[in-house]
């Protein structure tokens, strides 16, 4: 990127200005750009100056529906946050996090300072873990029935099958709820997200739970052990638990409602 | 077969990432200065691109309602 090329500022996340000085900067951010801490009063914002042509508003308008392009931006954005979040408290910024320049960024961050400080307080000392539960549907209780002798037998068998299936569904629902409650108990906060569409999850099986948990850095071992134990317990019910983490705390800090009212 | 709109099968974490970075629940407004007209449409568009057509037809209504 030549010095004369127009640039925009891409922001990754917000840190305490005090800890911002301690951040070991990731080697490269979006498009390989240098990552810096932009000082905004008591807050610092991890940000890069990037090519406006490649990552500015027009680029988003042009590529905003290209999963591959967004995937690359999301990965670069995440890589920066991930490297920082293992040791430093950071409130991730949502994509697209583009600003005309540092002054514009400071203005926005300054006007949201109270909300951002609250967000930092919420995530302080924490990372995020994700848990998804898939319904493998193997526990439908389907022992082979004998061939029905009469029409009445057939209807009775059908009714029993339906009842067994319903019982299995109820059992799995209770198991998922119980698992979530126990994980939430082992975490500081929990958020339930909409299950991913099978086309997005890459799995045929329906997703029953898509949850995120805010877990203290020091509590991670306990949390993961609990998750593994619960995962073993629900496997017989035909439930598959997928645990992901640690993540930067994407699901915590600033809520969309606060965003709008800020 | 290459299908540009789909998330590659060996790259499933990307879905979790986009789930977090694009699909709500998340973080600080980053769109204030360059007022990105139609950003929500971008998100919706991405979901449409990622989902096969038959899914879109059966799902887009309720999702729009739920916002």
């Amino acid at each position: 990127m030549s010095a004369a090329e127009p640039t925009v500022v891409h922001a990754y996340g917000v840190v305490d200005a005090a800890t911002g000085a301690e951040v070991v900067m990731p080697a490269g951010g979006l498009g390989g750009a240098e990552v810096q801490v932009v000082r905004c009063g008591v807050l610092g914002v991890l940000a890069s100056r990037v090519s406006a042509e490649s990552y500015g508003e027009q680029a988003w308008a042009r590529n905003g529906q290209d999963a591959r392009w967004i995937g690359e931006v999301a990965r670069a954005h995440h890589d920066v946050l991930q490297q920082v979040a293992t040791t430093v408290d950071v409130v991730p910024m949502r994509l697209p996090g583009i600003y005309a320049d540092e002054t514009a960024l400071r203005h926005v961050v300054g006007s949201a300072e109270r909300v951002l400080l609250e967000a930092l307080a919420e995530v302080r000392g924490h990372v995020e873990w994700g848990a998804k539960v898939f319904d493998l549907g193997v526990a439908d209780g389907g022992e082979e029935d004998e061939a029905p002798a009469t029409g009445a037998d057939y209807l009775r068998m059908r009714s029993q099958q339906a009842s067994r299936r319903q019982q299995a569904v109820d059992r799995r629902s209770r198991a998922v709820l119980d698992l979530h409650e126990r994980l939430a108990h082992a975490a500081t906060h929990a958020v339930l997200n909409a299950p991913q569409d099978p086309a997005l999850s890459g799995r045929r099986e329906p997703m029953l739970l898509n949850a995120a948990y805010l877990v203290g850095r020091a509590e991670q071992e306990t949390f993961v052990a609990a998750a593994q134990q619960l995962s073993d317990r629900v496997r017989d019910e035909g439930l598959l638990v997928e645990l992901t983490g640690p993540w930067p705390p994407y699901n915590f800090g600033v809520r969309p409602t606060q965003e709008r009212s800020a | 077969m290459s299908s540009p709109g789909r998330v590659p099968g060996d790259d499933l974490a990307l879905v979790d990432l986009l789930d977090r970075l694009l699909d709500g629940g998340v973080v600080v407004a980053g769109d204030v200065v360059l007022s990105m007209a139609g950003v929500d449409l971008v998100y919706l568009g991405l979901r449409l691109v990622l989902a096969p057509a038959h899914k879109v037809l059966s799902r887009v209504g309720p999702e729009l309602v739920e916002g």
Side-chain angles (χ1 to χ4, degrees), chain A residues 109-131:
Chain A
V109 169
S111 65
E113 187 178 272
R114 189 183 55 79
V115 171
L116 289 170
L117 284 170
E118 281 171 17
L120 264 173
E122 179 175 320
V123 305
R124 183 158 291 130
H126 289 77
V127 290
E128 175 178 324
W129 283 81

Side-chain angles (χ1 to χ4, degrees), chain A residues 145-159:
Chain A
D145 293 300
E146 289 176 25
T150 65
D153 281 351
Y154 172 75
L155 290 175
R156 185 172 47 75
M157 278 170 48
R158 284 293 300 268
S159 151

Side-chain angles (χ1 to χ4, degrees), chain A:
Chain A
M1 187 167 60
S2 75
E5 191 183 342
T7 58
V8 290
V9 171
H10 177 100
Y12 305 94
V14 180
V15 297
D16 274 325
T19 59
E22 299 163 16
V23 175
V24 178
M25 280 302 142
L30 186 59
E34 186 188 352
V35 183
Q36 296 174 318
V37 177
V38 177
R39 185 78 187 253
C40 307
V42 294
L43 296 168
V45 179
L46 300 167
S48 290
R49 272 209 169 255
V50 294
S51 149
E53 166 70 17
S54 303
Y55 301 108
E57 184 174 15
Q58 296 311 318
W60 273 91
R62 206 166 49 239
N63 302 311
Q65 298 197 11
D66 178 347
R68 206 165 292 276
W69 185 84
I70 289 195
E72 280 165 20
V73 174
R75 279 234 182 275
H77 186 83
H78 169 71
D79 284 349
V80 167
L81 289 167
Q82 184 75 305
Q83 288 176 62
V84 172
T86 49
T87 52
V88 171
D89 300 319
V90 56
V91 175
M93 289 177 102
R94 181 181 187 162
L95 291 177
I98 317 160
Y99 301 85
D101 53 25
E102 284 82 0
T103 307
L105 176 63
R106 282 196 189 95
H107 177 73
V108 171
V109 169
S111 65
E113 187 178 272
R114 189 183 55 79
V115 171
L116 289 170
L117 284 170
E118 281 171 17
L120 264 173
E122 179 175 320
V123 305
R124 183 158 291 130
H126 289 77
V127 290
E128 175 178 324
W129 283 81
K132 291 175 287 181
V133 178
F134 295 94
D135 185 355
L136 301 183
V138 295
D140 279 350
E143 67 269 20
E144 280 301 311
D145 293 300
E146 289 176 25
T150 65
D153 281 351
Y154 172 75
L155 290 175
R156 185 172 47 75
M157 278 170 48
R158 284 293 300 268
S159 151
Q160 284 171 351
Q161 280 171 357
S163 155
R164 274 202 302 272
R165 263 198 300 275
Q166 188 55 51
Q167 282 168 12
V169 168
D170 290 348
R171 229 177 20 245
R172 288 206 287 278
S173 301
R174 277 199 301 275
V176 170
L177 198 62
D178 179 66
L179 176 136
H180 170 64
E181 280 172 359
R182 285 171 194 271
L183 287 180
H185 187 71
T188 306
H189 289 296
V191 166
L192 286 172
N193 289 319
Q196 294 164 359
D197 189 286
L200 298 177
S201 72
R203 285 182 167 277
R204 245 174 342 103
E205 302 87 2
M207 188 183 288
L208 300 182
L209 180 77
N210 183 20
Y213 304 90
L214 189 66
V215 180
R217 286 200 184 88
E219 323 299 331
Q220 293 183 84
E221 240 173 85
T222 314
F223 180 86
V224 171
Q228 271 159 0
Q229 202 179 9
L230 290 162
S231 165
D232 291 342
R233 194 188 297 175
V234 299
R235 191 168 298 137
D236 292 342
E237 293 285 350
L239 298 174
L240 177 74
V241 180
E242 206 178 275
L243 193 68
T244 59
W247 293 89
Y250 289 116
N251 279 285
F252 301 93
V254 180
R255 296 280 94 78
T257 46
Q258 289 175 308
E259 225 174 86
R260 283 184 206 110
S261 64

Side-chain angles (χ1 to χ4, degrees), chain A residues 57 60 64-65 67 75 78 92-99 104 116 128 132 196-197 199-200 210 247 250 254 259, chain B residues 5 11 14-22 24-30 33-36 42-43 49-50 52 59:
Chain A
E57 184 174 15
W60 273 91
Q65 298 197 11
R75 279 234 182 275
H78 169 71
M93 289 177 102
R94 181 181 187 162
L95 291 177
I98 317 160
Y99 301 85
L116 289 170
E128 175 178 324
K132 291 175 287 181
Q196 294 164 359
D197 189 286
L200 298 177
N210 183 20
W247 293 89
Y250 289 116
V254 180
E259 225 174 86
Chain B
D11 217 2
L14 179 59
V15 173
D16 288 338
L17 190 54
L18 295 180
D19 202 19
R20 286 173 163 79
L21 283 174
L22 297 178
V26 201
V27 296
V28 187
V33 170
L34 297 175
S35 79
M36 297 271 302
V42 172
Y43 297 148
V49 168
L50 287 171
R59 301 248 328 180

